[in-house]
Amino acid sequence: MNPMSDPAPEHASGLATAGPADPEHDRTASYALDPGYVRALTDRVVSTTGESVPTYSPFTGQPLGAIPQSSTADVETAYRRAQRAQEAWAATPLEDRSRAMLALHDLILDRQDEIIDLVCWESGKARKHAFDEPLHVALTARYYARTAHEHLDPSRKAGVVPGLTRVEVNREPKGVVGVISPWNYPFTMALCDGLPALMAGNAVVHKPDAQTMLSALLGVQLLEEAGFPRDLWQVVAGPGRELGGPMIERSDYVCFTGSTATGKVIARQCADRLIGCSLELGGKNPILVLRDAAVDRAAEGAVRAAFSNAGQLCVSMERMFVADQVYDRFVARFVERTKAMRLGSGLEWGSDMGSLISKAQLDTVTAHVEDAVGKGARVLAGGRARPDLGPYFYEPTILEGVTPDMTCFGDETFGPVIALYRFHDEAEAVARANAGEYGLNASIYSRDGKRARAIARQIRCGTVNINEAFGATFASIDSPMGGMRQSGMGRRQGAEGIHRYTESQSVATQRVVRFAPMLGMSDQAYARMMTANLRLMNKLRRK
């Protein structure tokens, strides 16, 4: 395969249509996927409208199927079903929940080719980037299955009177969680936030993005096959502006991944109802290449940091700050690696980057690059659309000389475009990395891990990866992940990722003494006794 070339398109085994290519003789021939397979997935959408919306593959514009649309009444139905299922599920022992979660883990690994094929058809990404999706969901399922007791069992806390006050904290499920997931990682983001909600005893009502409904619905099918009750995870389909409000009105908690502007609207609506929400929002993520970085390793990592999933990744990098001492050597290697990338629209392994998701995304990327070039930025690699490969392909692009008056300087591009900046000292690099309103992810390349970790503490981002682009934090499920500042609130993964779906309940049992005068003691004497007790506890270094 030549650099920047297109491998011959392949059909997903078991999913693609077969037979004559003439729609006059075969009405299925115009569809990329078998209509029966698609109907088996879309039957899970709660819909009584009789309306449907076609969905298309970014690779070729070929239709994939039709998605039934939900009404506000359908949203109400979904929540009623989920609520009934949740009541029984909350009483299900943790061992049984964990067993279903581990069955899901194995199913995902067994069916990964099917998952990857469908993700590629819907999102247009390269197969190696689609593989990240079943990998991440399997990791998430296994983690919460294996740590369920650690996170959810009642925990003992120190009582106010040692030995006489027993305190336990229980973790109770919130009820029905509303999940609104994006298109860029349609299988991962469909499931990874909902799995800990299920593990904690909740039900889910889910609205996936319209462009990638089928990948999400495949995830729901696998949940049922793994042993989760069918009504426990409900799916609705339709525009967010129509269904988002009704979902928030019925949810006990809301989880959203998407734009900062929409996240703020959701946060206000949740605040009006006094319910919690977690929001992973936009980013303009920085990568720092320090003077002692291993240049080849940094250049390889920078390619993944900037161009994984064609840059359509919340934690991908769009700003790169490189030390004077290594700038020229690093840029030469980074440009060389970028120009050697293989673009392709097939389902086979071998492509380094796939397509953008839509014309809207292509238009944004094109506008950002043209604006920058028109104002004096230099293109070191890429810089043009590739309609010869597919309708929404754009070359991986490196810009130099980007200035604050250019749109791509501060606005999120969400495409395969990164800007290079030279820096003179590390304090300057940190200040520039922290500039702007976002704070989702950052990356630092240095041979000195201790110094890099110290610098990481100065960067206002929810995750920082050292000598790696984003995979180290994203795949470490035991650690929390989320944004600071305008990049969001709340965390997925780890203890925080499951505790957000629970209410903490403190239960205290008091023995022998009471918190009131006893045996004829006056109120004043009781106050003196309690004061003396506080002084004693402090001397004994007790909590």
Side-chain angles (χ1 to χ4, degrees), residues 18 83 270 319 331 338 381 429 442 455 469 482 497 527 539:
Q83 191 170 35
C270 289
R319 300 180 296 150
V331 170
T338 300
I455 292 172
K539 288 182 179 179

Side-chain angles (χ1 to χ4, degrees), residues 104 191 195 198 218-229 233:
L104 176 67
L191 293 183
L195 292 184
L198 296 185
L218 176 56
V220 179
Q221 182 186 78
L222 294 176
L223 285 170
E224 295 169 16
E225 293 182 22
F228 290 91
W233 189 298

